[in-house]
Amino acid sequence: DADVTQTPRNRITKTGKRIMLECSQTKGHDRMYWYRQDPGLGLRLIYYSFDVKDINKGEISDGYSVSRQAQAKFSLSLESAIPNQTALYFCATSASSSYEQYFGPGTRLTVT
Amino acid sequence: AQSVAQPEDQVNVAEGNPLTVKCTYSVSGNPYLFWYVQYPNRGLQFLLKYITGDNLVKGSYGFEAEFNKSQTSFHLKKPSALVSDSALYFCAVRPRDNYGQNFVFGPGTRLSVLP
């Protein structure tokens, strides 16, 4: 969905490095989410934010942190990357008035 | 614990035949129900949702889904499959009373439509 963009699209990094994944949206939605996708496990929620001052942990937040710099921007950081964080990461947005979420194209992260 | 099951990892169907991708869930209350599709190297795209009302909901690209409360199922269907429907399909639920608006996703079902 072109309204939700993620950078970078692909990233290879080494164990112990700090890395930031960025998400921007032009949909005007107030709610933003970070998920990771692993084969056979579906999507699991890492963090979510209902507005700039509201950040919440999801199902698998350990090893991750987030920053909501503006309504349109939500970044995910791995402070010290480890190989089992190798996954596909998705950002999503939703409006408080609607039910469904809209997803970015994903970032494929490989930690060696 | 809340969970969503998609009992088939893979569904194969011939082009022009009807298709069904199954989803069952274990979530308290009456959740909102969704289907998403993921094409290679793309994010998830919203297909359809069930919020309330008619048990048969229609969505994008000719897909529809049938909600069955007694069986806690929300199967995705299409009367005539296209090769271009080949993709990974995810069922998702969101508890109706969950302030967190947290979705629970199934593991995904890979649909292959054979020409």
Side-chain angles (χ1 to χ4, degrees):
Chain A
D1 190 325
D3 296 332
V4 184
T5 58
Q6 292 182 234
T7 56
R9 293 293 311 276
N10 289 282
R11 180 72 183 267
I12 301 173
T13 191
K14 294 185 183 297
T15 297
K17 294 291 188 182
R18 183 180 189 276
I19 184 170
M20 178 181 288
L21 309 182
E22 299 187 339
C23 176
S24 295
Q25 53 113 348
T26 58
K27 299 185 79 69
H29 290 168
D30 48 351
R31 301 180 175 190
M32 299 187 74
Y33 310 78
W34 276 105
Y35 291 90
R36 67 177 277 175
Q37 182 183 21
D38 299 279
L41 295 179
L43 274 73
R44 293 181 291 168
L45 183 64
I46 306 172
Y47 271 94
Y48 61 100
S49 170
F50 282 179
D51 64 40
V52 175
K53 296 182 180 180
D54 181 72
I55 304 285
N56 303 279
K57 293 182 178 181
E59 179 187 355
I60 53 163
S61 59
D62 288 348
Y64 302 95
S65 62
V66 291
S67 173
R68 184 84 182 265
Q69 300 95 323
Q71 187 192 38
K73 295 184 182 295
F74 193 36
S75 299
L76 176 72
S77 293
L78 287 67
E79 297 301 326
S80 179
I82 56 176
N84 75 2
Q85 292 177 313
T86 293
L88 193 53
Y89 289 85
F90 287 104
C91 174
T93 74
S94 69
S96 54
S97 58
S98 70
Y99 301 98
E100 62 269 23
Q101 296 181 347
Y102 295 88
F103 287 80
T107 294
R108 185 169 297 281
L109 176 66
T110 302
V111 183
T112 61
Chain B
Q2 301 172 119
S3 64
V4 177
Q6 294 179 240
E8 300 155 318
D9 293 335
Q10 173 96 26
V11 171
N12 298 320
V13 63
E15 187 174 28
N17 283 0
L19 70 86
T20 299
V21 182
K22 297 179 180 178
C23 172
T24 59
Y25 60 90
S26 175
V27 177
S28 60
N30 297 313
Y32 304 124
L33 304 165
F34 305 82
W35 276 101
Y36 286 83
V37 59
Q38 184 180 25
Y39 297 101
N41 300 313
R42 301 284 296 275
L44 278 70
Q45 296 179 29
F46 169 72
L47 272 181
L48 51 77
K49 63 179 182 269
Y50 173 81
I51 303 301
T52 189
D54 194 348
N55 289 346
L56 186 65
V57 294
K58 296 186 183 297
S60 306
Y61 313 121
F63 283 94
E64 56 190 28
E66 186 169 14
F67 167 60
N68 187 314
K69 184 177 180 179
S70 63
Q71 297 184 2
T72 60
S73 67
F74 189 54
H75 300 334
L76 181 69
K77 301 180 179 183
K78 188 173 183 181
S80 179
L82 300 173
V83 172
S84 58
D85 292 331
S86 298
L88 188 56
Y89 290 81
F90 290 96
C91 180
V93 304
R94 194 199 112 189
R96 194 170 288 261
D97 58 354
N98 187 326
Y99 170 75
Q101 205 180 34
N102 289 342
F103 282 58
V104 178
F105 285 84
T109 297
R110 187 164 300 280
L111 173 67
S112 292
V113 181
L114 309 174

